[in-house]
């Protein structure tokens, strides 16, 4: 099949240096993977993995299943859970180098792409811990690489691979649908439109639908709860997300890399040799508009920003080769070194936990990895106050999935029973039996009384202290001992369900 134009083949892939950079990154992530502790989302993934299903109210099933497989294969601690995140991050570096190659980048540009990717704060942060964003970034970049292969060669059979990657991506996070939407819109706007004709795009869409169908069926069967979750995020954080939309992109990827992705966008839009790739340039502002309207977070568009950065690596390579090479080389090296140091502080567990306030100002997720065992110890202290003859009727109820996940993970080792919560998919895993009529040990965030109003005779018996004076979401969380519930659990349960 013919291409979209007489495009020269890409340069040889710089396998040895690129794979070497990916291996070094994987080594660093592995060495640091056991520091601090689980993130609240990771604890939730572990719990969801113990309740395998085709979907959950706030996410598709892939990440929880990966979490379950990882802990079964590599151990039940943070280091074992994070092996897939490390591997995804290393592969991401390789894919970005391949993107730079598709954009006509030679060996030096590919190495620059690998280095800039492996030192960006966003990549390091999501590579350190397992999250839906970890897999999502890799899926987006892989889809973009496949689309570029399609555009450069004009071979419609690449639509099958695009569809397969997108369908798998939907089983992890729904945002990949936005990527496909803006790519198709960009193709319609600036071409080459011929790649949208014929049966291959339809076949690719069919492949994506078949792979995504189990999750879509689950969501439809349960009344599309993901939309409720999205509405809650927009209502709670939409204004802040819009205000921080641009700053988040700059800070998360790195201010030092702004000239690189700006050069990449200008190159894709202006360079006649890359006219076939121009839809990539248009897709970025289209995606920004969609996310802004929806009140989404700034990091949703970072995958396309990384694609633009890959396109900008060849101009950077040419700049380092032009006059005063030594000075320009040292300048580029110094910028990368500064970026790597700052990104490590923001995204990796390199600081003492007592100094995390600095990193939290940019990346609050750092602090959410600290203090879970002490929370469970406070719960254990509260549980010990319940008379032994009442414990068969007693219930531990947590306000959110982080608290519930921590108690579920660490609690059995401290003699605690199963925990219940109405947050997200914990609500689907069932209420306690109605005969469990109290006492109730209630765990909730400091100052948040929304849940407590459903219980009677409550008195505070413990407070959570992470012992690092770290102001994360669970610092000073309250543990209250309540005499019971205001009605039977089965009647009360719908009122206890909440999504945010």
């Amino acid at each position: 099949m013919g291409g979209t134009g007489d495009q020269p083949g890409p340069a040889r892939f710089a396998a040895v240096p690129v794979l070497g950079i990916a291996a070094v990154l994987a080594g660093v992530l592995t060495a640091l993977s056991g520091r601090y502790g689980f993130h609240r989302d990771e604890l939730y993934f572990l719990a969801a993995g113990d309740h395998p299903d085709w979907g959950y109210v706030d996410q598709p099933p892939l990440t929880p299943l990966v979490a379950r497989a990882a802990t079964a294969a590599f151990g039940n601690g943070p280091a074992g859970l994070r092996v897939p995140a490390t591997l995804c991050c290393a592969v991401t570096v390789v894919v970005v180098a391949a993107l730079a190659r598709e954009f006509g980048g030679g060996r030096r540009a590919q190495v620059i792409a690998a280095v800039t990717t492996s030192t960006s704060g966003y990549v390091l942060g999501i590579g350190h811990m397992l999250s839906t964003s970890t897999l999502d970034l890799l899926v987006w970049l892989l889809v973009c690489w496949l689309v570029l292969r399609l555009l450069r060669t004009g071979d419609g059979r690449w639509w099958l691979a695009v569809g397969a990657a997108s369908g798998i991506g939907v089983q992890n996070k729904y945002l990949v649908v936005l990527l496909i939407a803006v790519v198709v819109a960009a193709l319609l706007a600036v071409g080459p439109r011929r790649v949208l004709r014929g049966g291959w795009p339809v076949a690719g869409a069919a492949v994506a639908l078949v792979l995504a169908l189990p999750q879509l069926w689950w969501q439809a069967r349960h009344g599309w709860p993901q939309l409720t979750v999205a509405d809650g995020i927009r209502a709670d954080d939409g204004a802040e997300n819009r205000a921080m939309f641009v700053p988040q992109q700059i800070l998360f990827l790195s201010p030092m890399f702004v000239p690189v992705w700006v050069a990449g966008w200008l190159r894709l839009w202006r360079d006649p040799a890359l006219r076939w790739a121009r839809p990539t340039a248009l897709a970025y502002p289209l995606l920004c508009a969609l996310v802004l309207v929806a009140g989404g977070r700034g990091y949703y568009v970072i995958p396309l920003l990384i694609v633009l950065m890959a396109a900008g690596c060849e101009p950077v390579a040419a700049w380092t080769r032009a006059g005063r090479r030594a000075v320009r080389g040292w300048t580029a090296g110094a910028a990368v070194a500064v970026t790597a140091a700052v990104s490590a502080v923001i995204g990796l567990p390199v600081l003492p936990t007592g100094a995390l306030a600095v990193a939290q100002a940019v990346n609050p997720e750092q602090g959410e990895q600290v203090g879970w065992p002490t929370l469970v110890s406070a719960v254990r202290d509260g549980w010990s106050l319940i008379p032994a003859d009442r414990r068969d009727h007693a219930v531990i109820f947590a306000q959110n999935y982080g608290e519930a996940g921590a108690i579920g993970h660490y609690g059995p080792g401290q003699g605690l029973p199963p925990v219940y919560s109405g947050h997200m998919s914990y609500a689907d895993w069932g209420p306690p039996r109605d005969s469990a009529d109290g006492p109730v040990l209630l765990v909730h965030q400091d100052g948040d009384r929304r849940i407590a109003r459903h219980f009677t005779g409550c008195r505070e018996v413990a407070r959570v202290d992470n012992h690092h004076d770290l102001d994360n979401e669970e610092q000073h969380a309250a543990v209250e001992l309540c005499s019971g519930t205001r009605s039977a659990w089965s009647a009360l349960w719908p009122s206890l369900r909440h999504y945010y």
Side-chain angles (χ1 to χ4, degrees), residues 52-395:
D53 204 342
W54 285 114
Y56 305 92
V57 297
D58 54 337
Q59 64 186 309
L62 185 56
T63 299
L65 291 177
V66 169
R68 182 175 184 175
T71 50
F74 304 111
N76 207 29
L81 174 67
R82 291 165 177 168
V83 170
T86 297
L87 295 175
C88 282
C89 194
V91 175
T92 292
V93 170
V94 177
V95 174
V96 177
L99 283 166
R101 176 176 178 263
E102 288 298 318
F103 289 128
R107 179 185 179 88
R108 183 178 298 216
Q110 294 171 39
V111 171
I112 292 171
V115 169
T116 52
T117 303
S118 61
T119 56
S120 83
Y122 182 72
V123 173
L124 291 179
I126 66 172
H128 164 60
M129 63 184 191
L130 182 64
S131 72
T132 54
S133 295
T134 310
L135 300 175
D136 197 49
L137 175 62
L138 178 56
V139 168
W140 277 56
L141 294 174
L142 183 59
V143 168
C144 288
W145 179 75
L146 293 169
V147 168
L148 287 174
R149 299 283 291 183
L150 165 69
L151 296 179
R152 183 174 60 79
T153 65
D155 188 341
R157 289 172 295 184
W158 283 105
W159 278 117
L160 298 177
V162 171
S166 302
I168 294 171
V170 169
Q171 292 286 8
N172 171 69
K173 203 167 185 176
Y174 300 109
L175 289 177
V176 70
V177 175
L178 296 182
L179 172 62
I180 299 302
V182 297
V183 166
V184 171
L187 285 170
L188 289 171
V190 298
R193 298 181 187 90
R194 68 174 70 99
V195 299
L196 295 173
R197 301 177 189 138
W200 289 118
V202 176
V207 169
L209 181 61
V210 168
L211 290 172
L213 193 58
Q215 161 59 199
L216 298 176
W217 171 82
W218 189 96
Q219 282 285 326
R221 183 167 167 260
H222 290 78
W224 300 99
Q226 181 71 49
L227 298 179
T228 303
V229 174
D231 285 342
I233 292 173
R234 180 166 54 249
D236 280 6
D237 303 325
E240 180 182 353
N241 288 342
R242 293 184 181 97
M244 293 300 296
F245 186 75
V246 173
Q248 276 189 349
Q249 294 178 62
I250 294 173
L251 290 173
F252 285 1
L253 196 57
S254 173
M256 293 285 190
F257 296 156
V258 171
V260 184
W261 60 260
V262 169
W265 191 91
L266 292 173
R267 181 181 177 222
L268 290 172
W269 193 251
R270 295 176 176 176
D271 190 346
L274 289 177
R275 184 177 179 81
W276 58 272
R278 183 177 286 185
T280 312
L282 182 58
Y284 171 69
L286 290 177
L287 181 63
C288 288
L290 280 179
V291 174
L292 277 169
V293 169
R297 298 184 172 104
Y299 70 80
Y300 290 176
V301 305
I302 284 183
L304 276 187
L305 212 53
I306 292 177
V307 174
L308 297 180
M309 189 170 71
C313 288
E314 180 58 31
V316 172
W319 178 79
T320 60
R321 286 191 297 262
R324 304 189 69 180
R325 296 182 184 180
V327 173
R328 294 188 175 191
W330 278 106
T331 300
V336 168
V338 170
T339 297
V342 173
S343 295
V345 169
I346 292 172
L348 296 177
V350 296
L351 294 176
T353 50
L356 267 179
V358 176
Q360 277 192 290
V362 177
N363 180 19
E365 309 307 325
Q366 288 271 53
E368 298 307 310
Q369 302 170 64
V370 177
W372 297 112
T374 59
L375 180 146
V376 178
S377 295
V379 175
R380 178 203 60 204
D381 293 343
W383 182 258
S384 68
L385 299 176
I386 300 175
D389 62 347
R390 291 299 303 169
R391 289 181 185 174
D392 285 344
H393 295 266
V395 170

Side-chain angles (χ1 to χ4, degrees), residues 424-443:
M424 296 299 185
S425 279
Y426 267 95
D428 295 321
W429 302 333
R433 66 189 191 280
D434 283 343
S435 59
D437 53 359
V440 176
L441 195 64
L442 179 63
V443 186

